[in-house]
Amino acid sequence: MIPVVQQPAWPNSECEPSVAHVAGCDEVGRGTWAGPVVAAAVILDPHCPITGLADSKKLSSKRREILDIQIREHCLAWSLGRASAQEIDQINILQATLLAMQRAVAALKLQPDLVLVDGNRTPELPMPCQAIVGGDATQPAISAASIIAKVYRDRLMQSLAKDHPVYGFDRHFGYGTMQHRLALQRHGPCAEHRHSFSPIRQLIQP
């Protein structure tokens, strides 16, 4: 299992933190049938800009991998949080998404003064938080968070594919593809599936 890790405050004296720290926060995996929902929080360094930040869904896998390294190397702080499939089943996907965001922000080694979140809902945080619809395409810090979260979750699902090879997690990453549906019909769900989601619930109902 890939551990959730966080980047400490940027140690390079050439990139000193600014007075006000703004974190971007975004999630990945909200609509999948399996695996956790993963959120990332990133505080970019205004003195060390990163070129090419964009919504992670609009970037190629190779480009995301490159940017993931650049973000982690040059930001002031970054962190990840997640909520498991079991937590999603217990509290619903919206609340699990907000929980993953809370965990990501709490794990930052540098406390932000403001958090910008992609979407129209904000998690409860001890600092001001603003929701921005489409923020992953317009706010560099949110774009960076979406990239970090996407790369991490894709790697996680590739790891889970080794434990559950019949489902093809390394190809569809838990999303509801025809291949995934056929595998579920043939093998039934595993512990990584979200049993509260309709496609899974229909398979396990007596």
Side-chain angles (χ1 to χ4, degrees), residues 86-174:
Q86 290 74 30
E87 288 176 311
I88 292 168
D89 288 339
Q90 292 169 1
I91 62 176
N92 76 47
I93 184 59
L94 173 59
Q95 295 305 316
T97 298
L98 297 176
L99 177 61
M101 290 181 172
Q102 288 176 329
R103 289 170 173 169
V105 173
L108 285 168
K109 294 298 185 180
L110 187 64
Q111 181 170 306
D113 302 293
L114 171 67
V115 177
L116 304 179
V117 177
D118 182 53
N120 58 7
R121 300 289 294 269
T122 60
E124 291 187 13
L125 297 171
M127 69 284 293
C129 186
Q130 179 181 353
I132 302 176
V133 176
D136 52 0
T138 62
Q139 299 294 321
I142 299 179
S143 299
S146 74
I147 292 166
I148 290 281
K150 173 66 173 170
V151 171
Y152 172 82
R153 190 180 187 280
D154 283 357
R155 290 173 180 169
L156 177 61
M157 296 307 294
Q158 290 169 343
S159 177
L160 290 176
K162 298 176 182 177
D163 298 325
H164 308 280
V166 298
Y167 299 104
F169 290 153
D170 55 332
R171 294 185 291 277
H172 52 66
F173 305 108

Side-chain angles (χ1 to χ4, degrees), residues 28-38 82-97 99 153 192-197:
V28 174
R30 182 169 175 170
T32 67
W33 293 355
V37 59
V38 173
R82 67 188 188 194
S84 68
Q86 290 74 30
E87 288 176 311
I88 292 168
D89 288 339
Q90 292 169 1
I91 62 176
N92 76 47
I93 184 59
L94 173 59
Q95 295 305 316
T97 298
L99 177 61
R153 190 180 187 280
E192 293 298 332
H193 282 99
R194 303 172 182 181
H195 291 208
S196 59
F197 277 35

